[in-house]
PDB file of all heavy atoms in Angstrom:
ATOM      1  N   LYS E   1      -5.542   4.080  -5.891  1.00 97.00           N
ATOM      2  CA  LYS E   1      -4.162   3.595  -6.020  1.00 97.00           C
ATOM      3  C   LYS E   1      -3.998   2.240  -5.329  1.00 97.00           C
ATOM      4  O   LYS E   1      -3.354   1.324  -5.865  1.00 97.00           O
ATOM      5  CB  LYS E   1      -3.190   4.607  -5.419  1.00 97.00           C
ATOM      6  CG  LYS E   1      -3.053   5.899  -6.214  1.00 97.00           C
ATOM      7  CD  LYS E   1      -2.070   6.846  -5.509  1.00 97.00           C
ATOM      8  CE  LYS E   1      -1.906   8.144  -6.276  1.00 97.00           C
ATOM      9  NZ  LYS E   1      -0.984   9.089  -5.565  1.00 97.00           N
ATOM     10  N   PHE E   2      -4.578   2.108  -4.140  1.00 97.00           N
ATOM     11  CA  PHE E   2      -4.473   0.854  -3.387  1.00 97.00           C
ATOM     12  C   PHE E   2      -5.140  -0.286  -4.153  1.00 97.00           C
ATOM     13  O   PHE E   2      -4.562  -1.369  -4.305  1.00 97.00           O
ATOM     14  CB  PHE E   2      -5.120   1.017  -2.011  1.00 97.00           C
ATOM     15  CG  PHE E   2      -5.072  -0.214  -1.159  1.00 97.00           C
ATOM     16  CD1 PHE E   2      -3.935  -0.530  -0.438  1.00 97.00           C
ATOM     17  CD2 PHE E   2      -6.169  -1.064  -1.078  1.00 97.00           C
ATOM     18  CE1 PHE E   2      -3.878  -1.677   0.355  1.00 97.00           C
ATOM     19  CE2 PHE E   2      -6.135  -2.212  -0.293  1.00 97.00           C
ATOM     20  CZ  PHE E   2      -4.979  -2.518   0.425  1.00 97.00           C
ATOM     21  N   ALA E   3      -6.366  -0.051  -4.641  1.00 97.00           N
ATOM     22  CA  ALA E   3      -7.092  -1.085  -5.380  1.00 97.00           C
ATOM     23  C   ALA E   3      -6.347  -1.473  -6.649  1.00 97.00           C
ATOM     24  O   ALA E   3      -6.284  -2.655  -7.019  1.00 97.00           O
ATOM     25  CB  ALA E   3      -8.497  -0.587  -5.712  1.00 97.00           C
ATOM     26  N   LYS E   4      -5.757  -0.485  -7.311  1.00 97.00           N
ATOM     27  CA  LYS E   4      -4.993  -0.759  -8.535  1.00 97.00           C
ATOM     28  C   LYS E   4      -3.778  -1.615  -8.220  1.00 97.00           C
ATOM     29  O   LYS E   4      -3.487  -2.595  -8.935  1.00 97.00           O
ATOM     30  CB  LYS E   4      -4.554   0.575  -9.156  1.00 97.00           C
ATOM     31  CG  LYS E   4      -3.821   0.432 -10.482  1.00 97.00           C
ATOM     32  CD  LYS E   4      -4.782   0.060 -11.578  1.00 97.00           C
ATOM     33  CE  LYS E   4      -4.116   0.101 -12.940  1.00 97.00           C
ATOM     34  NZ  LYS E   4      -5.051  -0.277 -14.026  1.00 97.00           N
ATOM     35  N   ASP E   5      -3.061  -1.284  -7.155  1.00 97.00           N
ATOM     36  CA  ASP E   5      -1.882  -2.049  -6.753  1.00 97.00           C
ATOM     37  C   ASP E   5      -2.236  -3.487  -6.406  1.00 97.00           C
ATOM     38  O   ASP E   5      -1.411  -4.398  -6.568  1.00 97.00           O
ATOM     39  CB  ASP E   5      -1.193  -1.392  -5.561  1.00 97.00           C
ATOM     40  CG  ASP E   5      -0.483  -0.086  -5.926  1.00 97.00           C
ATOM     41  OD1 ASP E   5      -0.247   0.131  -7.129  1.00 97.00           O
ATOM     42  OD2 ASP E   5      -0.188   0.705  -5.009  1.00 97.00           O
ATOM     43  N   CYS E   6      -3.473  -3.691  -5.924  1.00 97.00           N
ATOM     44  CA  CYS E   6      -3.919  -5.034  -5.532  1.00 97.00           C
ATOM     45  C   CYS E   6      -4.458  -5.837  -6.712  1.00 97.00           C
ATOM     46  O   CYS E   6      -4.850  -6.995  -6.555  1.00 97.00           O
ATOM     47  CB  CYS E   6      -4.989  -4.936  -4.450  1.00 97.00           C
ATOM     48  SG  CYS E   6      -4.376  -4.323  -2.863  1.00 97.00           S
ATOM     49  N   GLY E   7      -4.509  -5.225  -7.881  1.00 97.00           N
ATOM     50  CA  GLY E   7      -4.917  -5.956  -9.081  1.00 97.00           C
ATOM     51  C   GLY E   7      -6.359  -5.802  -9.487  1.00 97.00           C
ATOM     52  O   GLY E   7      -6.813  -6.463 -10.439  1.00 97.00           O
ATOM     53  N   ALA E   8      -7.114  -4.947  -8.793  1.00 98.00           N
ATOM     54  CA  ALA E   8      -8.526  -4.745  -9.153  1.00 98.00           C
ATOM     55  C   ALA E   8      -8.642  -3.929 -10.430  1.00 98.00           C
ATOM     56  O   ALA E   8      -7.735  -3.168 -10.794  1.00 98.00           O
ATOM     57  CB  ALA E   8      -9.259  -4.050  -8.019  1.00 98.00           C
ATOM     58  N   ARG E   9      -9.755  -4.068 -11.101  1.00 98.00           N
ATOM     59  CA  ARG E   9     -10.040  -3.253 -12.278  1.00 98.00           C
ATOM     60  C   ARG E   9     -10.682  -1.958 -11.793  1.00 98.00           C
ATOM     61  O   ARG E   9     -11.655  -1.984 -11.033  1.00 98.00           O
ATOM     62  CB  ARG E   9     -10.973  -3.993 -13.225  1.00 98.00           C
ATOM     63  CG  ARG E   9     -11.243  -3.256 -14.535  1.00 98.00           C
ATOM     64  CD  ARG E   9     -11.897  -4.159 -15.568  1.00 98.00           C
ATOM     65  NE  ARG E   9     -12.176  -3.456 -16.804  1.00 98.00           N
ATOM     66  CZ  ARG E   9     -11.273  -3.192 -17.736  1.00 98.00           C
ATOM     67  NH1 ARG E   9     -10.016  -3.562 -17.543  1.00 98.00           N
ATOM     68  NH2 ARG E   9     -11.593  -2.557 -18.847  1.00 98.00           N
ATOM     69  N   ILE E  10     -10.164  -0.821 -12.232  1.00 98.00           N
ATOM     70  CA  ILE E  10     -10.637   0.483 -11.773  1.00 98.00           C
ATOM     71  C   ILE E  10     -11.524   1.097 -12.841  1.00 98.00           C
ATOM     72  O   ILE E  10     -11.090   1.353 -13.968  1.00 98.00           O
ATOM     73  CB  ILE E  10      -9.461   1.440 -11.483  1.00 98.00           C
ATOM     74  CG1 ILE E  10      -8.411   0.760 -10.600  1.00 98.00           C
ATOM     75  CG2 ILE E  10      -9.979   2.721 -10.862  1.00 98.00           C
ATOM     76  CD1 ILE E  10      -8.915   0.326  -9.247  1.00 98.00           C
ATOM     77  N   ILE E  11     -12.784   1.320 -12.501  1.00 98.00           N
ATOM     78  CA  ILE E  11     -13.693   2.019 -13.406  1.00 98.00           C
ATOM     79  C   ILE E  11     -14.239   3.236 -12.656  1.00 98.00           C
ATOM     80  O   ILE E  11     -14.636   3.143 -11.499  1.00 98.00           O
ATOM     81  CB  ILE E  11     -14.814   1.115 -13.945  1.00 98.00           C
ATOM     82  CG1 ILE E  11     -15.696   0.564 -12.832  1.00 98.00           C
ATOM     83  CG2 ILE E  11     -14.209  -0.050 -14.735  1.00 98.00           C
ATOM     84  CD1 ILE E  11     -16.882  -0.258 -13.341  1.00 98.00           C
ATOM     85  N   CYS E  12     -14.218   4.371 -13.308  1.00 97.00           N
ATOM     86  CA  CYS E  12     -14.454   5.628 -12.599  1.00 97.00           C
ATOM     87  C   CYS E  12     -15.539   6.475 -13.243  1.00 97.00           C
ATOM     88  O   CYS E  12     -15.766   6.420 -14.453  1.00 97.00           O
ATOM     89  CB  CYS E  12     -13.169   6.449 -12.543  1.00 97.00           C
ATOM     90  SG  CYS E  12     -11.826   5.611 -11.687  1.00 97.00           S
ATOM     91  N   ILE E  13     -16.169   7.271 -12.400  1.00 97.00           N
ATOM     92  CA  ILE E  13     -17.072   8.322 -12.840  1.00 97.00           C
ATOM     93  C   ILE E  13     -16.455   9.624 -12.350  1.00 97.00           C
ATOM     94  O   ILE E  13     -16.364   9.867 -11.142  1.00 97.00           O
ATOM     95  CB  ILE E  13     -18.485   8.142 -12.267  1.00 97.00           C
ATOM     96  CG1 ILE E  13     -19.069   6.790 -12.700  1.00 97.00           C
ATOM     97  CG2 ILE E  13     -19.401   9.281 -12.717  1.00 97.00           C
ATOM     98  CD1 ILE E  13     -20.390   6.452 -12.024  1.00 97.00           C
ATOM     99  N   THR E  14     -16.007  10.447 -13.282  1.00 94.00           N
ATOM    100  CA  THR E  14     -15.315  11.673 -12.919  1.00 94.00           C
ATOM    101  C   THR E  14     -15.571  12.725 -13.986  1.00 94.00           C
ATOM    102  O   THR E  14     -16.369  12.500 -14.901  1.00 94.00           O
ATOM    103  CB  THR E  14     -13.812  11.402 -12.689  1.00 94.00           C
ATOM    104  OG1 THR E  14     -13.188  12.546 -12.121  1.00 94.00           O
ATOM    105  CG2 THR E  14     -13.114  10.998 -13.979  1.00 94.00           C
ATOM    106  N   ASP E  15     -14.886  13.862 -13.902  1.00 89.00           N
ATOM    107  CA  ASP E  15     -15.248  14.985 -14.779  1.00 89.00           C
ATOM    108  C   ASP E  15     -14.450  15.055 -16.071  1.00 89.00           C
ATOM    109  O   ASP E  15     -14.816  15.805 -16.973  1.00 89.00           O
ATOM    110  CB  ASP E  15     -15.114  16.308 -14.019  1.00 89.00           C
ATOM    111  CG  ASP E  15     -13.680  16.570 -13.577  1.00 89.00           C
ATOM    112  OD1 ASP E  15     -13.045  15.644 -13.053  1.00 89.00           O
ATOM    113  OD2 ASP E  15     -13.211  17.709 -13.744  1.00 89.00           O
ATOM    114  N   GLY E  16     -13.346  14.315 -16.196  1.00 86.00           N
ATOM    115  CA  GLY E  16     -12.592  14.388 -17.431  1.00 86.00           C
ATOM    116  C   GLY E  16     -11.257  13.690 -17.338  1.00 86.00           C
ATOM    117  O   GLY E  16     -10.875  13.143 -16.295  1.00 86.00           O
ATOM    118  N   GLU E  17     -10.513  13.708 -18.448  1.00 86.00           N
ATOM    119  CA  GLU E  17      -9.241  13.002 -18.524  1.00 86.00           C
ATOM    120  C   GLU E  17      -8.177  13.592 -17.608  1.00 86.00           C
ATOM    121  O   GLU E  17      -7.180  12.938 -17.306  1.00 86.00           O
ATOM    122  CB  GLU E  17      -8.732  13.011 -19.965  1.00 86.00           C
ATOM    123  CG  GLU E  17      -9.599  12.197 -20.913  1.00 86.00           C
ATOM    124  CD  GLU E  17      -9.073  12.202 -22.332  1.00 86.00           C
ATOM    125  OE1 GLU E  17      -8.065  12.910 -22.571  1.00 86.00           O
ATOM    126  OE2 GLU E  17      -9.644  11.513 -23.185  1.00 86.00           O
ATOM    127  N   ASN E  18      -8.368  14.820 -17.167  1.00 81.00           N
ATOM    128  CA  ASN E  18      -7.389  15.451 -16.285  1.00 81.00           C
ATOM    129  C   ASN E  18      -7.641  15.167 -14.801  1.00 81.00           C
ATOM    130  O   ASN E  18      -6.913  15.665 -13.938  1.00 81.00           O
ATOM    131  CB  ASN E  18      -7.380  16.962 -16.516  1.00 81.00           C
ATOM    132  CG  ASN E  18      -6.830  17.329 -17.882  1.00 81.00           C
ATOM    133  OD1 ASN E  18      -5.831  16.784 -18.315  1.00 81.00           O
ATOM    134  ND2 ASN E  18      -7.504  18.235 -18.578  1.00 81.00           N
ATOM    135  N   SER E  19      -8.663  14.392 -14.512  1.00 89.00           N
ATOM    136  CA  SER E  19      -8.937  14.004 -13.127  1.00 89.00           C
ATOM    137  C   SER E  19      -7.733  13.234 -12.570  1.00 89.00           C
ATOM    138  O   SER E  19      -7.111  12.436 -13.288  1.00 89.00           O
ATOM    139  CB  SER E  19     -10.182  13.120 -13.070  1.00 89.00           C
ATOM    140  OG  SER E  19     -10.328  12.522 -11.788  1.00 89.00           O
ATOM    141  N   PRO E  20      -7.383  13.427 -11.303  1.00 91.00           N
ATOM    142  CA  PRO E  20      -6.212  12.743 -10.738  1.00 91.00           C
ATOM    143  C   PRO E  20      -6.348  11.222 -10.638  1.00 91.00           C
ATOM    144  O   PRO E  20      -5.354  10.529 -10.431  1.00 91.00           O
ATOM    145  CB  PRO E  20      -6.069  13.380  -9.348  1.00 91.00           C
ATOM    146  CG  PRO E  20      -7.412  13.932  -9.034  1.00 91.00           C
ATOM    147  CD  PRO E  20      -7.993  14.359 -10.341  1.00 91.00           C
ATOM    148  N   ILE E  21      -7.567  10.692 -10.796  1.00 95.00           N
ATOM    149  CA  ILE E  21      -7.722   9.235 -10.781  1.00 95.00           C
ATOM    150  C   ILE E  21      -7.644   8.646 -12.193  1.00 95.00           C
ATOM    151  O   ILE E  21      -7.587   7.428 -12.347  1.00 95.00           O
ATOM    152  CB  ILE E  21      -9.040   8.794 -10.097  1.00 95.00           C
ATOM    153  CG1 ILE E  21     -10.263   9.374 -10.812  1.00 95.00           C
ATOM    154  CG2 ILE E  21      -9.027   9.172  -8.625  1.00 95.00           C
ATOM    155  CD1 ILE E  21     -11.588   8.874 -10.233  1.00 95.00           C
ATOM    156  N   ALA E  22      -7.603   9.509 -13.200  1.00 93.00           N
ATOM    157  CA  ALA E  22      -7.559   9.031 -14.585  1.00 93.00           C
ATOM    158  C   ALA E  22      -6.363   8.124 -14.882  1.00 93.00           C
ATOM    159  O   ALA E  22      -6.520   7.086 -15.540  1.00 93.00           O
ATOM    160  CB  ALA E  22      -7.589  10.210 -15.554  1.00 93.00           C
ATOM    161  N   PRO E  23      -5.138   8.450 -14.400  1.00 95.00           N
ATOM    162  CA  PRO E  23      -3.983   7.606 -14.734  1.00 95.00           C
ATOM    163  C   PRO E  23      -4.088   6.173 -14.202  1.00 95.00           C
ATOM    164  O   PRO E  23      -3.392   5.278 -14.692  1.00 95.00           O
ATOM    165  CB  PRO E  23      -2.808   8.342 -14.079  1.00 95.00           C
ATOM    166  CG  PRO E  23      -3.263   9.753 -13.942  1.00 95.00           C
ATOM    167  CD  PRO E  23      -4.721   9.657 -13.667  1.00 95.00           C
ATOM    168  N   PHE E  24      -4.932   5.963 -13.207  1.00 97.00           N
ATOM    169  CA  PHE E  24      -5.052   4.634 -12.595  1.00 97.00           C
ATOM    170  C   PHE E  24      -6.288   3.882 -13.088  1.00 97.00           C
ATOM    171  O   PHE E  24      -6.533   2.750 -12.678  1.00 97.00           O
ATOM    172  CB  PHE E  24      -5.120   4.769 -11.072  1.00 97.00           C
ATOM    173  CG  PHE E  24      -4.046   5.649 -10.497  1.00 97.00           C
ATOM    174  CD1 PHE E  24      -4.321   6.964 -10.146  1.00 97.00           C
ATOM    175  CD2 PHE E  24      -2.751   5.172 -10.345  1.00 97.00           C
ATOM    176  CE1 PHE E  24      -3.336   7.784  -9.632  1.00 97.00           C
ATOM    177  CE2 PHE E  24      -1.754   5.995  -9.841  1.00 97.00           C
ATOM    178  CZ  PHE E  24      -2.044   7.305  -9.489  1.00 97.00           C
ATOM    179  N   SER E  25      -7.068   4.513 -13.959  1.00 97.00           N
ATOM    180  CA  SER E  25      -8.356   3.966 -14.365  1.00 97.00           C
ATOM    181  C   SER E  25      -8.242   3.090 -15.604  1.00 97.00           C
ATOM    182  O   SER E  25      -7.520   3.415 -16.548  1.00 97.00           O
ATOM    183  CB  SER E  25      -9.352   5.095 -14.636  1.00 97.00           C
ATOM    184  OG  SER E  25      -9.522   5.895 -13.490  1.00 97.00           O
ATOM    185  N   ASP E  26      -8.977   1.979 -15.597  1.00 97.00           N
ATOM    186  CA  ASP E  26      -9.070   1.114 -16.767  1.00 97.00           C
ATOM    187  C   ASP E  26     -10.207   1.549 -17.683  1.00 97.00           C
ATOM    188  O   ASP E  26     -10.173   1.281 -18.885  1.00 97.00           O
ATOM    189  CB  ASP E  26      -9.295  -0.333 -16.323  1.00 97.00           C
ATOM    190  CG  ASP E  26      -8.130  -0.868 -15.511  1.00 97.00           C
ATOM    191  OD1 ASP E  26      -7.034  -1.015 -16.092  1.00 97.00           O
ATOM    192  OD2 ASP E  26      -8.307  -1.104 -14.308  1.00 97.00           O
TER     193      ASP E  26
END
């Protein structure tokens, strides 16, 4: 959330679309 607010591009490795970081991921 902090990185997203600062304008960084968020790329994630997680288990699926329901992951709590999914809404913030590019």
Side-chain angles (χ1 to χ4, degrees):
K1 290 179 180 178
F2 180 82
K4 183 73 172 179
D5 289 343
C6 292
R9 184 167 179 79
I10 311 299
I11 61 176
C12 300
I13 301 172
T14 190
D15 63 314
E17 293 181 356
N18 292 316
S19 169
I21 60 176
F24 311 100
S25 301
D26 297 294

